[in-house]
Amino acid sequence: MEGEPTLRLRIFNLNCWAIRYLSKRRQQRVRLIGDTLRQEGFDLVLLQEVWSEQDYSELKAKLAGSYPFSHYFRSGVIGSGLCVFSRFPILDTLLYQYSLNGYPYMLQHGDWFCGKSVGLVVMKISGIIFNVYVTHLHAEYCRDKDAYLPHRLVQAWELAQFIRHTSKAADVVLLGGDLNMHPEDVGIRLLRGWTGLQDAFAEAMRFEGCKNGCTLVPDNCFTDKSELLPFPLGIRIDYILYKAISSFTVKCEELKTTTGRAPGTDIPFSDHEAVMATLHIQRQGQPAGATLGTPGESGRSLADVVAEARAEVGAGLQAARQQRYSSGRMAVLALLLLLLQAAAALATLAGLGAEQPFPKLSFCLLAFLALGVLVLATGLHLFHTMEVKMLHGTEDQMWMMLRALQERPSEG
């Protein structure tokens, strides 16, 4: 009922940049994060890039008194890096791994090996069912030539669909994570428009922290300054999003970000700034009637966003088809070379032809080279075939959604 006590929830979200052997001062920073979380006493902690299970175990042991409930999401080769710490019992968990996540041969980026995913934890707090999602989407690396944009859009689409289809029994939906998208990017507009999630930064009654809520800022000593040259103030790619369903309302009382060095130290928690939100959840007198199946924008504006996203996915699909064709052609040429070499070798052994014109060592090396190219090209062909299928499937889904939005009567 109106006037019932308000539930006050404090949330902490951070990309920890804790890559074993690669991240600078990782162990010191993980200990610092644990000490701060224990002192501050948040209700819910959402972390990304905790790549080492040893780091998670140390955090779990340190935070057991303050956050007795936790979960680590495992996926990919080295893990999703996602984990949740909570003061309240976790009733259920679920992990969904995105169907596209970069390229295995782009070793310098490594996103493919992480198994980027979205993790869900279900909690019941003061009789209110919370679906809490934590995720980390594919990094951008180069904004001018973003080769990963189609993959990130597929991830944003799958994230939106996953939230919509798993939240029907929830009262409140929370999403935290490193989305690797600027607030105005098509992916974030698609996610928010299709789910109706609200941005805590945009809705906060009070804000304190980096200008414009930026979470990747030049003042951070761990940040790659070259990536931020076009953005002198920094960029905002880490979010806390929320939505109330049924008869509840959610308001963001306050949002904060860290601003560089952690208190009393000479280093920040991470190369990202943390995002901290204080939310108020209250039951309304009458059911609001809103569900997560109701888009958060008017049909017309959402249709424009979907059309833009579908065009980008379509461009990615064309590029994937070209890569599939190129790798397939390379595999066929390598196979033909191997067959010619085999025919020449058999003819020589049978005494049907002249002696082998090439030295045996060169002949063997050429055969091994052709075999290596065949295996590599075949692997790439299979990978890009799967990429084409995933992009094509997402494009079809977006087309169905776009058609439904266009046929629906205009809202406002």
Side-chain angles (χ1 to χ4, degrees), residues 108-111 138-143 146 148 152 227:
Q108 73 275 28
H109 294 157
D111 292 67
H138 199 295
E140 188 174 70
Y141 295 109
C142 178
R143 191 162 182 83
D146 187 4
Y148 300 110
R152 197 162 49 254
E227 295 181 2

Side-chain angles (χ1 to χ4, degrees), residues 12-19 23-26 28-30 32-33 47-49 178 215-217 219-223 238 258-262 267-274:
F12 179 94
N13 177 76
L14 175 66
N15 178 325
C16 297
W17 189 50
I19 309 171
S23 298
K24 297 176 182 177
R25 303 174 74 170
R26 172 184 61 85
Q28 180 183 358
R29 291 187 295 101
V30 169
L32 179 61
I33 291 170
L47 302 181
Q48 306 91 53
E49 288 202 11
D178 176 5
T215 56
L216 217 58
V217 296
D219 291 340
N220 188 305
C221 64
F222 295 130
T223 302
D238 300 89
T258 52
T259 55
R261 296 177 181 177
I267 58 171
F269 293 123
S270 169
D271 61 343
H272 288 237
E273 301 302 327

Side-chain angles (χ1 to χ4, degrees), residues 49-360:
E49 288 202 11
V50 182
W51 300 122
S52 166
E53 288 201 41
Q54 181 181 345
D55 288 340
Y56 166 72
S57 297
E58 291 177 359
L59 282 171
K60 182 177 180 180
K62 177 176 287 188
L63 300 175
S66 304
Y67 308 90
F69 308 98
S70 65
H71 186 76
Y72 185 78
F73 294 96
R74 296 170 177 85
S75 69
V77 178
I78 64 172
S80 69
L82 307 174
C83 59
V84 175
F85 293 90
S86 171
R87 288 203 306 114
F88 304 97
I90 294 174
L91 306 179
D92 198 5
T93 66
L94 182 63
L95 179 73
Y96 176 79
Q97 187 169 333
Y98 298 123
S99 59
L100 289 178
N101 189 39
Y103 305 102
Y105 50 82
M106 299 296 285
L107 299 178
Q108 73 275 28
H109 294 157
D111 292 67
W112 185 84
F113 297 93
C114 304
K116 293 289 180 67
S117 311
V118 50
L120 161 65
V121 297
V122 180
M123 302 186 300
K124 189 172 185 179
I125 308 172
S126 299
I128 304 172
I129 300 296
F130 286 80
N131 270 28
V132 180
Y133 301 85
V134 57
T135 193
H136 184 193
L137 304 192
H138 199 295
E140 188 174 70
Y141 295 109
C142 178
R143 191 162 182 83
D144 292 334
K145 297 180 180 179
D146 187 4
Y148 300 110
L149 177 59
H151 286 212
R152 197 162 49 254
L153 283 174
V154 170
Q155 291 179 350
W157 170 257
E158 291 178 350
L159 173 60
Q161 292 288 72
F162 182 74
I163 292 174
R164 282 168 50 83
H165 291 295
T166 57
S167 295
K168 294 178 181 179
D171 297 313
V172 176
V173 174
L174 301 176
L175 168 64
D178 176 5
L179 301 184
N180 274 310
M181 297 183 288
H182 298 211
E184 70 279 2
D185 286 352
V186 62
I188 198 75
R189 289 187 285 123
L190 176 68
L191 171 64
R192 291 192 56 209
W194 191 225
T195 60
L197 291 169
Q198 295 178 286
D199 184 352
F201 172 77
E203 302 295 329
M205 291 181 276
R206 294 194 307 275
F207 172 74
E208 180 182 330
C210 299
K211 189 173 179 61
N212 298 328
C214 292
T215 56
L216 217 58
V217 296
D219 291 340
N220 188 305
C221 64
F222 295 130
T223 302
D224 185 351
K225 306 300 186 291
S226 62
E227 295 181 2
L228 295 179
L229 287 177
F231 309 100
L233 295 178
I235 57 178
R236 183 162 74 95
I237 58 176
D238 300 89
Y239 298 82
I240 293 176
L241 307 176
Y242 61 85
K243 180 181 176 73
I245 306 177
S246 65
S247 59
F248 291 87
T249 59
V250 181
K251 294 182 179 179
C252 183
E253 174 193 337
E254 182 179 60
L255 188 83
K256 293 183 179 180
T257 70
T258 52
T259 55
R261 296 177 181 177
T265 70
D266 63 338
I267 58 171
F269 293 123
S270 169
D271 61 343
H272 288 237
E273 301 302 327
V275 182
M276 298 158 283
T278 301
L279 303 181
H280 282 189
I281 301 97
Q282 188 170 27
R283 189 185 298 272
Q284 296 185 122
Q286 297 293 329
T291 69
L292 208 62
T294 305
E297 299 185 28
S298 70
R300 181 175 298 176
S301 61
L302 182 55
D304 292 339
V305 174
V306 175
E308 185 180 349
R310 182 170 177 266
E312 294 288 356
V313 170
L317 176 60
Q318 290 300 110
R321 282 173 172 160
Q322 181 60 45
Q323 290 174 312
R324 180 180 63 175
Y325 172 77
S326 299
S327 58
R329 184 174 58 178
M330 186 183 299
V332 170
L333 292 175
L335 179 60
L336 288 175
L337 179 57
L338 277 175
L339 292 174
L340 286 174
Q341 287 183 288
L346 288 173
T348 302
L349 289 174
L352 300 177
E355 285 194 22
Q356 178 60 254
F358 300 107
K360 289 184 178 179

